[in-house]
Amino acid sequence: MTERFMNFLRSCWGPSSRRHDHSGTDALGRQDGLLWYKDIGRLANGDFSMAVVQANSLVEDQSQIESGSLSLHGLGPYGTFVGIYDGHGFASERQSISADVIRKAFKATEEGFLSLVTNQWPVKPQIAAVGSCCLVGIICSGTLYVANVGDSRVVLGRLVKATGEVLAVQLSEEHNAGIESVRQELHALHPDDSEIVVLKHNVWRVKGVIQVSRSIGDVYLKKTEFNREPLQAKFLLREPFQRPILSSEPSISVLPLQLQDQFLIFASDGLWEHLSNQEAVDIVQNNPCSGIARRLVKAALQEAAKKREMRYSDLKKIDRGVRRHFHDDITVIVVFLNSGPTGWVISHKGPTVSIRGGIDRPASSLTSYASAKLAELLDPMATLPSKGITVPASLLLLTAAAALLLFLLLSSLSPAPSSSSAASFSCPTTSAASSIAAATGPPDPISPTLDDIAWLKSQLVLNSIQEPPSSPAAWHSLRKGINPRTRDQQLADLRRFKGISHYEGDDAENHTALPCPEELLVEEHHSNYGEPWAGGRDVFEFLATAASLSPADHVLEIGCGTLRVGLHFIRYLDPARFHCLERDELSLMAALRYEIPSQGLLHKRPLILRGEDMEFDRFGSDVLYDLIYASAVFLHMPDALVWVGLERLSARLKLEKGRIFVSHNIKFCSRLGGDVCTNRLTNLGLEYVGKRTHDSLLFNHYEIWFEFRKLKA
């Protein structure tokens, strides 16, 4: 292997001091905090724009553009290679690109990775659980080749001459269990496995573990001999499998480019989580070419911030790792397609481009091993003729794919806290879970600061808001210009006019998707509590802070009522992370038919179940909670039922971090006597931590909470 060839390989996975240009030019891209971008560049086929934003502690996205000669000997063919999570593509000595060549390259990449796992298993067994999606696009001789495993995506912007519109055309096929056709394919391939796909936390996952059905790597789901200890328990399946569960077979499409084809958007799933195909195409079509990839990333981040009810400027202040609770790593490459008057004719005179997008990371101690291993894989088939290097096409593609995949692998094996849940897995599979576990607390302060309170008081002064009146008459005098209707009068109007409808006759009740009872619309249920409805926010702030809660955590409320407290948890937590057991029908009706829809929280999918039997397995047998709380609930229950509940809750509580909070009193314990209660708690694996109090922000009130945690084994 020549020094030139190995230097090329090392450049694929080693950090380069020239990779980012901090001098003010855009030659190799710029870096702004967690954002890397190259606003505009020239390719053999047209212009391109590129951007990457990091969310994970270690960036998982990788991307690459190569343009010019698609062979190392420089004799052609000429074109452009685009890779998301993957790298270069080159031609063989036959000077051609084909679907078969690309398919063989993916196969060789997978085999090379399997060889690496086999060699590293004795010392690095977790390497078996490392994997990556791979999206590749090659433009050559007027033809676009797209190959994909996983859930990255490429979308074409195509001009409709009759209307002047530019419509989105998705060119890649995705392999995600959330897609019905993918689930059908998995069932067809595994007819004897009823659990080949499992709906877990409202997300379809292959074997309940991973969302993608195809990937490079993830050997623990392809070779049963690697699905065993000492692999981490969360990756272990209950039974050995006879055939591979995941596949590395790419979906390949070949598209002759046409004059009306305007541009291509290659992006990781982090972009498509927040933008539709047409929304992305509209942004590219309606804005200047320069900086368009960065504009797409910004649009996705703005949508991510909106979903969490925060400002985009505040989201940008959140550091890597914690940022993963709000969005994934996002990589975008936009390629503008230039064609001549006779169609797609690519000349060898186009500029030569080689650029990688992403955030720099420290070099790994495994680099030397990766270099040696890759050389070992390539040397037997490489030759050195008198005029340049000739290597079979599949191995040249393997060079790039394996090199970039190893680059991902090296970062994935960097030390990071392990996650207790596989629910957060996506592609690549390991680092995403580790990044969530690495978060040390909530992304933003949960409770208002002294500065916040001072700001609000200044606003009251600024707007000449006086001290509140002390009599009903004084209050009535403030309502000048406002319809002074009481809640009872509003309720009477709703009943009389069928929801204050402007429709008449049979149409009066047919213009709402979720018809809500009038009693709920006037919020009578807000008065069902012994303290103001606003006190729910106080409880949330106290509990979330006391439990060091993060959006990825799981929370269970026993007796959530009409969601006086629960609404704040639902808004703060990731979807499907809030669970509640409630026995009262009216409370459930108010929660589900009014509070969740009216607060815009339907997308959060909280799991609220009716019952009073302490049967927590109904929420899923494998769910472990970071916080379990009961506000003024246990004091109304028989002691025997409380102890039954505590026994069952102990098995559902996370070790060390998990907390149980009970409000008002714990007479179920004190009535037994101190030592007896302590012994009984110990037998359940619980420990009493102590008593806490917190004050209300808006009214003169404090509340007492009693804290428990799980004993160490």
Side-chain angles (χ1 to χ4, degrees), residues 460 465-486 698:
L460 295 174
I465 304 299
Q466 307 297 323
E467 289 296 317
S470 57
S471 68
W475 271 111
H476 185 74
S477 68
L478 289 176
R479 301 180 70 175
K480 293 175 295 187
I482 300 177
N483 185 6
R485 306 189 67 73
T486 65
L698 299 179

Side-chain angles (χ1 to χ4, degrees), residues 346-363:
I346 305 302
S347 168
H348 68 279
K349 297 180 180 180
T352 297
V353 175
S354 179
I355 188 168
R356 272 185 34 227
I359 310 299
D360 279 325
R361 73 188 75 192

Side-chain angles (χ1 to χ4, degrees), residues 107-283:
K107 181 180 179 181
T109 302
E110 177 77 355
E111 291 172 350
F113 193 91
L114 175 60
S115 176
L116 179 64
V117 171
T118 302
N119 281 278
Q120 283 285 287
W121 172 264
V123 293
K124 295 279 187 182
Q126 306 313 320
I127 194 176
V130 172
S132 178
C133 301
C134 180
L135 171 64
V136 168
I138 302 172
I139 303 172
C140 184
S141 301
T143 300
L144 171 66
Y145 301 83
V146 173
N148 187 50
V149 292
D151 53 10
S152 296
R153 186 184 306 173
V154 57
V155 172
L156 169 69
R158 174 170 286 174
L159 176 67
V160 180
K161 292 185 178 180
T163 64
E165 297 175 281
V166 175
L167 299 182
V169 181
Q170 183 170 327
L171 302 181
S172 55
E173 180 181 340
E174 295 174 38
H175 312 116
N176 189 299
I179 302 171
E180 175 64 26
S181 60
V182 173
R183 296 198 297 274
Q184 293 176 356
E185 178 185 65
L186 288 166
H187 282 298
L189 292 172
H190 305 271
D192 299 326
D193 189 349
S194 61
E195 295 183 350
I196 186 63
V197 285
V198 177
L199 186 62
K200 193 172 183 180
H201 309 306
N202 291 318
V203 177
W204 287 102
R205 290 180 169 82
V206 182
K207 298 301 289 184
V209 175
I210 188 171
Q211 289 179 254
V212 294
S213 62
R214 304 189 193 185
S215 69
I216 300 294
D218 295 312
V219 179
Y220 75 111
L221 291 175
K222 296 174 180 176
K223 298 284 185 179
T224 191
E225 60 264 34
F226 294 109
N227 197 285
R228 59 181 175 84
E229 294 181 351
L231 195 64
Q232 293 182 22
K234 63 187 177 185
F235 299 119
L236 299 178
L237 303 184
R238 288 176 295 187
E239 299 177 357
F241 47 91
Q242 302 301 317
R243 61 177 65 90
I245 294 170
L246 300 188
S247 167
S248 62
E249 178 70 16
S251 294
I252 299 176
S253 60
V254 181
L255 177 72
L257 292 171
Q258 304 173 27
L259 287 173
Q260 60 265 38
D261 295 338
Q262 303 294 297
F263 51 81
L264 297 163
I265 306 172
F266 294 82
S268 59
D269 61 337
L271 180 81
W272 308 114
E273 286 176 1
H274 303 291
L275 297 179
S276 68
N277 292 350
Q278 191 61 50
E279 286 172 338
V281 165
D282 290 345
I283 290 172

Side-chain angles (χ1 to χ4, degrees), residues 176-447:
N176 189 299
I179 302 171
E180 175 64 26
S181 60
V182 173
R183 296 198 297 274
Q184 293 176 356
E185 178 185 65
L186 288 166
H187 282 298
L189 292 172
H190 305 271
D192 299 326
D193 189 349
S194 61
E195 295 183 350
I196 186 63
V197 285
V198 177
L199 186 62
K200 193 172 183 180
H201 309 306
N202 291 318
V203 177
W204 287 102
R205 290 180 169 82
V206 182
K207 298 301 289 184
V209 175
I210 188 171
Q211 289 179 254
V212 294
S213 62
R214 304 189 193 185
S215 69
I216 300 294
D218 295 312
V219 179
Y220 75 111
L221 291 175
K222 296 174 180 176
K223 298 284 185 179
T224 191
E225 60 264 34
F226 294 109
N227 197 285
R228 59 181 175 84
E229 294 181 351
L231 195 64
Q232 293 182 22
K234 63 187 177 185
F235 299 119
L236 299 178
L237 303 184
R238 288 176 295 187
E239 299 177 357
F241 47 91
Q242 302 301 317
R243 61 177 65 90
I245 294 170
L246 300 188
S247 167
S248 62
E249 178 70 16
S251 294
I252 299 176
S253 60
V254 181
L255 177 72
L257 292 171
Q258 304 173 27
L259 287 173
Q260 60 265 38
D261 295 338
Q262 303 294 297
F263 51 81
L264 297 163
I265 306 172
F266 294 82
S268 59
D269 61 337
L271 180 81
W272 308 114
E273 286 176 1
H274 303 291
L275 297 179
S276 68
N277 292 350
Q278 191 61 50
E279 286 172 338
V281 165
D282 290 345
I283 290 172
V284 176
Q285 175 63 18
N286 297 324
N287 289 280
C289 295
S290 180
I292 195 63
R294 185 154 48 110
R295 188 180 294 271
L296 283 169
V297 168
K298 180 179 179 180
L301 295 183
Q302 288 174 327
E303 284 299 314
K306 186 184 300 182
K307 291 175 183 177
R308 301 304 291 269
E309 300 182 344
M310 65 188 306
R311 294 176 300 184
Y312 167 68
S313 58
D314 292 333
L315 176 62
K316 289 176 61 180
K317 297 174 184 176
I318 299 173
D319 202 358
R320 70 192 79 194
V322 177
R323 181 83 80 90
R324 181 59 180 88
H325 299 311
F326 298 83
H327 66 85
D328 201 353
D329 293 336
I330 301 174
T331 291
V332 179
I333 299 175
V334 180
V335 176
F336 293 91
L337 305 173
N338 295 337
S339 59
T342 59
W344 275 91
V345 180
I346 305 302
S347 168
H348 68 279
K349 297 180 180 180
T352 297
V353 175
S354 179
I355 188 168
R356 272 185 34 227
I359 310 299
D360 279 325
R361 73 188 75 192
S364 168
S365 60
L366 290 179
T367 301
S368 58
Y369 173 83
S371 175
K373 185 59 186 176
L374 203 55
E376 175 188 330
L377 291 172
L378 291 170
D379 264 329
M381 297 184 65
T383 61
L384 185 62
S386 57
K387 294 184 179 181
I389 300 172
T390 302
V391 181
S394 62
L395 281 184
L396 284 170
L397 282 169
L398 168 61
T399 297
L404 203 50
L405 186 56
L406 285 172
F407 188 84
L408 280 168
L409 168 65
L410 300 182
S411 67
S412 298
L413 291 180
S414 299
S418 62
S419 172
S420 61
S421 170
S424 57
F425 283 136
S426 183
C427 265
T429 57
T430 299
S431 296
S434 299
S435 69
I436 289 178
T440 58
D444 273 329
I446 291 174
S447 302

